[in-house]
Amino acid sequence: MQTTIPLTRDLVLIGGGHTHALVLRMWGMKPLAGVRVTVINPAPTAPYSGMLPGFVAGHYTKDELDIDLIKLARFAGARIITGKASAIDTKAKAITVGDRKVAYDVASIDVGITSEMPDMDGFADHAVPAKPLDRFAERWDGYRKSASRPRVALIGGGVAGAELAMAMAHALRHKDHRVTLIDSGKVVSQFGDDARKHLLEALEENGVEVVADAKVDRITSDAVLLEGGTPIPADFVCGAAGARPHEWLKKTGLTLYDGFVSVGPTLQSSDPHVFAAGDCCYMRHAPRPKAGVFAVRSAKTLFHNLKAELSGEPLKGYQPQKDYLKLVSLGGQSALAEKMGQSFKGPLLWKWKNHIDTKFMRKFSELPQMGLAKLPSQVAKGVREELGDAPLCGGCGAKVGRSALKEALADLPQNDRPDIQSVKGDDAAIMDVNGQKQVMTTDHLRAFTEDPVLMTRIAAIHALGDVWGMGGKPSAATVQIILPRMSDALQRRTMAEIMGAAADVLGQAGAAIVGGHSSIGSELTIGFTITGICDRPVTLEGAEAGDEIIITQPIGAGVVMAGEMRGLAKGRDVVATYEAMLQTQAEASRILTPDARAMTDITGFGLAGHLANICEASGLGAQIKLIDVPTLAGAEELSEQGVRSTIWAENRGGAGAIYGNRSPKFDLLFDPQTAGGLMAVVPVEKAEELHEQLLLSGYKAAIIGKMTKSDGITVS
């Protein structure tokens, strides 16, 4: 009998900086058993600073610039929380992220720096800081593409500001543009005379106007006003002056130096359970300038010391190099190199820099294949075929197929109770309790994300969908939880997170938690049994020929989740899919219920399978216009690559007669949805009005076809 190693410690990485990205990669190759790893970052990606000027200049795409933290977290077996940390309570060992607390045993901070200028009049309203990089990169990308007569100003004439100014000028070279670099002192004064001379020449060659020894008074929507009233025309203003620590670090109680977390050789702060690395820390044993090279080279030490602190082993020290090679982009595909007072520039140095940067990024885009667990040498027939070469999906991708379920239910005794109404294919039953119609349903999901809060919210909305899909209003719920094996402390933390999230979602839906059950198993599974009140129950039967079909949410969640498990889905598409799953269908149900003749939620059987249920119950067929079916970002691309959820083949075979030409989008009709939208069949004269109401309420709804008298489902 195989023993499951229990989880006993929480490691939380705050920030997705270069050091933490490398730690995650190393953790994926050599994890410490018994540790649950969490990554907290505001976005699903983390831009690589070394390639930012190249991106600004147009040499790299946004995808090439970004480290995909979703993929990296999956590789490391970590959960990722997309949010911004705002506080650390070292006594309670908890990190504040939005409205939630994340507990830790050991934590590490790698949040970089900021170049915000909160004291500068107008900066918050009319400018963007160069750091954090993700916000700046997004704003610049939009401006570069849309501006017809760009006027750009950069405040801060250090190396970073000069590098960005030249990159911007290069990107805008085919437009009538003006780029101005403003500094309160000498521009690029950090370099020696030789390197500074080369940089000033490069600024001139790129057409960058340099304004030195100038102080900014305020920023308006169309200009930077200097002291004395001189205006610098600008409708895109970037702050690149100085390296400022994040303000929230002041409230942590950790020892700081000029606002940066003070660390010793082991990279531990004044609290031995909190480490720090990268630009947000100050190495008091060996002060160094803010440079990515130190963040990258400290990763091995941080990885070793985090594992050592969590396992009780000795820690080791990090001693940074005294000098390092500085490579600066010069706008076009040319670069300057400086070390120990010597400098050189030219296209060959750009090629060298490009080689170094792209090699670094391949560490995250080409993750090692760690392989599945080896099978015993002798196994029963069919084991290898059943396992396949892809991991088992979670959520609705792990459900039993429609045809298998129909067969299992076919031989059950028919319901003949007058107080219970059930329609074949419906996920819930309608009961008559003292003259009041009530709906009852149950559902549970095998986890597809390591974050129990996110998983709970999705599972709750998924279960509520059966009530909303019958026109009901949720009233009461019980919770069923299976936790993976873990220590008592982690059980308490996890249960608190789950129940807090469940109470929030169910409470907003109008349902009170009245009980439940919990146990320990092999993996996280969360379920709910829910009852609701139905004034006008809507079932699968009742559709009429000519009625139009409305869905309230794009499809493709199953393939995106399957792609995420295999490291193929883009992180931003995964997060967008999570956001779609988190949209409740309460308002959609309220809008559709008065007019719907038949309705259901789209979940495990996919759009085609649930439409087949309506067709079967109503004795009709259906016609779908594939072009009108909305899909989630990345879903069609993954489908074209052949990515399929575990249950896809069963859904395809169990949906009955489907007529149409196969294509990647056609295949998504059989994709299992978790917390999917509603599908309603409505009279043709009401369809446009209802569709408009759904759009105004924030749903990405669509009219996708109509009911027909013919058999089967036709896709055109």
Side-chain angles (χ1 to χ4, degrees):
M1 180 177 170
Q2 189 175 14
T3 302
T4 302
I5 298 175
L7 298 170
T8 63
R9 293 290 183 274
D10 270 316
L11 168 62
V12 180
L13 305 179
I14 307 170
H18 306 347
T19 313
H20 279 176
L22 287 166
V23 166
L24 282 169
R25 186 179 186 274
M26 289 184 276
W27 196 281
M29 293 187 287
K30 196 174 181 181
L32 179 62
V35 177
R36 179 171 61 179
V37 181
T38 301
V39 187
I40 299 170
N41 197 66
T45 58
Y48 170 47
S49 59
M51 293 172 73
L52 180 68
F55 162 74
V56 170
H59 305 316
Y60 304 117
T61 65
K62 185 69 165 61
D63 283 345
E64 290 173 313
L65 172 73
D66 286 338
I67 298 172
D68 194 322
L69 295 177
I70 300 290
K71 289 183 180 180
L72 199 52
R74 170 62 68 180
F75 176 72
R79 65 170 169 168
I80 182 164
I81 298 173
T82 51
K84 187 177 180 180
S86 59
I88 301 176
D89 185 338
T90 55
K91 292 183 179 179
K93 286 191 172 183
I95 299 152
T96 302
V97 185
D99 58 357
R100 67 186 284 190
K101 304 286 186 183
V102 181
Y104 69 88
D105 294 293
V106 173
S108 180
I109 309 170
D110 183 16
V111 294
I113 54 178
T114 179
S115 50
E116 291 181 356
M117 301 175 185
D119 298 329
M120 185 175 290
D121 188 12
F123 187 91
D125 296 326
H126 305 297
V128 59
K131 291 190 176 183
L133 301 180
D134 48 359
R135 180 184 166 201
F136 166 75
E138 184 178 350
R139 288 276 297 273
W140 168 253
D141 201 30
Y143 178 80
R144 176 180 60 84
K145 293 174 181 176
S146 62
S148 58
R149 192 167 176 265
R151 298 292 181 265
V152 178
L154 288 100
I155 303 171
V159 175
E163 198 172 20
L164 286 177
M166 289 184 283
M168 289 174 167
H170 181 80
L172 303 172
R173 65 193 181 280
H174 298 305
K175 296 183 178 183
D176 176 12
H177 73 279
R178 177 178 178 176
V179 178
T180 307
L181 181 63
I182 306 167
D183 195 81
S184 59
K186 247 170 86 174
V187 174
V188 292
S189 59
Q190 303 98 316
F191 276 168
D193 291 342
D194 190 47
R196 185 170 184 271
K197 177 185 174 184
H198 286 314
L199 285 173
L200 290 173
E201 288 174 351
L203 284 165
E204 185 177 359
E205 289 167 2
N206 279 280
V208 176
E209 180 183 347
V210 176
V211 179
D213 299 315
K215 290 187 178 181
V216 175
D217 178 56
R218 68 185 185 276
I219 302 169
T220 67
S221 60
D222 59 1
V224 176
L225 299 179
L226 304 180
E227 287 187 355
T230 303
I232 305 293
D235 52 10
F236 187 93
V237 180
C238 172
R244 293 175 172 80
H246 291 276
E247 284 293 315
W248 67 269
L249 293 173
K250 294 179 181 178
K251 303 175 184 178
T252 60
L254 302 173
T255 299
L256 307 179
Y257 179 86
D258 283 345
F260 299 99
V261 180
S262 178
V263 299
T266 61
L267 302 178
Q268 287 169 297
S269 69
S270 54
D271 183 323
H273 300 109
V274 179
F275 293 70
D279 287 351
C280 71
C281 80
Y282 169 77
M283 294 181 286
R284 59 180 180 270
H285 64 292
R288 293 291 186 274
K290 304 300 180 186
V293 63
F294 302 119
V296 169
R297 296 198 176 183
S298 67
K300 286 185 179 180
T301 302
L302 181 63
F303 174 66
H304 174 275
N305 287 350
L306 290 174
K307 293 178 74 173
E309 183 67 21
L310 288 159
S311 61
E313 298 295 326
L315 279 66
K316 64 181 182 181
Y318 167 62
Q319 185 62 42
Q321 64 203 78
K322 291 184 178 180
D323 196 12
Y324 64 100
L325 177 68
K326 305 169 190 71
L327 284 168
V328 181
S329 298
L330 302 178
Q333 293 189 353
S334 180
L336 177 142
E338 193 273 345
K339 188 175 183 181
M340 300 181 68
Q342 298 295 313
S343 66
F344 308 91
K345 70 174 184 177
L348 287 177
L349 289 170
W350 161 263
K351 291 182 179 180
W352 187 18
K353 175 174 167 53
N354 177 64
H355 170 74
I356 292 171
D357 289 339
T358 53
K359 181 181 178 182
F360 178 76
M361 289 299 284
R362 280 198 299 272
K363 290 178 180 287
F364 309 109
S365 61
E366 300 174 6
L367 295 167
Q369 296 296 315
M370 304 309 292
L372 300 173
K374 290 185 178 180
L375 289 173
S377 58
Q378 188 175 19
V379 295
K381 291 180 180 179
V383 167
R384 289 183 172 84
E385 291 79 4
E386 188 65 28
L387 284 174
D389 57 359
L392 177 67
C393 291
C396 278
K399 292 182 75 169
V400 174
R402 182 173 182 264
S403 59
L405 190 59
K406 285 178 67 177
E407 289 179 17
L409 298 176
D411 296 331
L412 290 179
Q414 293 297 310
N415 170 48
D416 57 3
R417 289 181 55 169
D419 60 336
I420 298 179
Q421 176 189 351
S422 59
V423 176
K424 185 182 293 184
D426 259 327
D427 292 326
I430 300 168
M431 302 175 292
D432 192 326
V433 181
N434 297 325
Q436 174 67 65
K437 297 285 187 185
Q438 291 189 350
V439 61
M440 183 180 74
T441 184
T442 189
D443 220 321
H444 74 269
L445 297 175
R446 174 178 175 270
F448 50 76
T449 171
E450 299 291 336
D451 183 4
V453 172
L454 176 61
M455 193 64 230
T456 301
R457 290 184 174 278
I458 291 172
I461 290 170
H462 177 81
L464 287 162
D466 287 338
V467 179
W468 290 322
M470 299 189 82
K473 297 177 181 179
S475 56
T478 59
V479 189
Q480 299 85 46
I481 302 168
I482 301 175
L483 293 180
R485 191 176 178 189
M486 56 180 61
S487 67
D488 180 69
L490 264 67
Q491 285 182 36
R492 292 172 185 270
R493 293 174 186 173
T494 308
M495 287 294 289
E497 288 186 315
I498 289 173
M499 294 308 296
D504 185 39
V505 174
L506 293 167
Q508 289 186 38
I513 297 176
V514 296
H517 179 76
S518 62
S519 63
I520 299 295
S522 60
E523 57 190 350
L524 179 63
T525 302
I526 302 172
F528 298 89
T529 298
I530 301 176
T531 61
I533 305 300
C534 280
D535 296 326
R536 179 187 177 270
V538 186
T539 65
L540 297 174
E541 56 188 7
E544 297 181 7
D547 287 349
E548 297 203 322
I549 305 163
I550 297 177
I551 64 173
T552 65
Q553 188 168 291
I555 63 171
V559 73
V560 174
M561 291 299 99
E564 190 272 334
M565 291 187 70
R566 294 169 60 181
L568 298 174
K570 295 175 182 176
R572 62 174 177 267
D573 294 341
V574 174
V575 170
T577 298
Y578 288 152
E579 290 172 353
M581 293 177 181
L582 290 171
Q583 184 178 32
T584 77
Q585 299 299 313
E587 181 64 10
S589 178
R590 187 196 66 77
I591 291 169
L592 293 168
T593 295
D595 295 296
R597 289 198 170 116
M599 190 160 67
T600 185
D601 59 335
I602 305 173
T603 53
F605 300 151
L607 189 156
H610 286 284
L611 180 56
N613 282 344
I614 291 177
C615 291
E616 186 177 322
S618 299
L620 296 171
Q623 184 177 24
I624 296 174
K625 289 185 178 180
L626 194 60
I627 194 173
D628 293 334
V629 178
T631 60
L632 292 164
E636 290 185 55
E637 180 183 347
L638 289 166
S639 182
E640 190 169 7
Q641 294 175 38
V643 176
R644 300 286 181 269
S645 187
T646 307
I647 200 179
W648 183 89
E650 178 62 31
N651 280 354
R652 178 66 182 91
I658 307 286
Y659 308 102
N661 295 322
R662 186 170 176 182
S663 67
K665 188 170 183 178
F666 178 88
D667 286 350
L668 291 178
L669 298 176
F670 313 99
D671 186 57
Q673 306 304 291
T674 301
L678 302 182
M679 178 193 296
V681 177
V682 302
V684 63
E685 66 272 14
K686 297 291 294 185
E688 288 295 343
E689 177 188 341
L690 294 171
H691 180 225
E692 185 66 25
Q693 288 184 48
L694 290 166
L695 293 177
L696 291 173
S697 297
Y699 295 97
K700 296 179 180 178
I703 300 172
I704 64 167
K706 62 183 180 180
M707 303 301 295
T708 64
K709 292 182 179 180
S710 59
D711 293 333
I713 299 172
T714 302
V715 181
S716 60

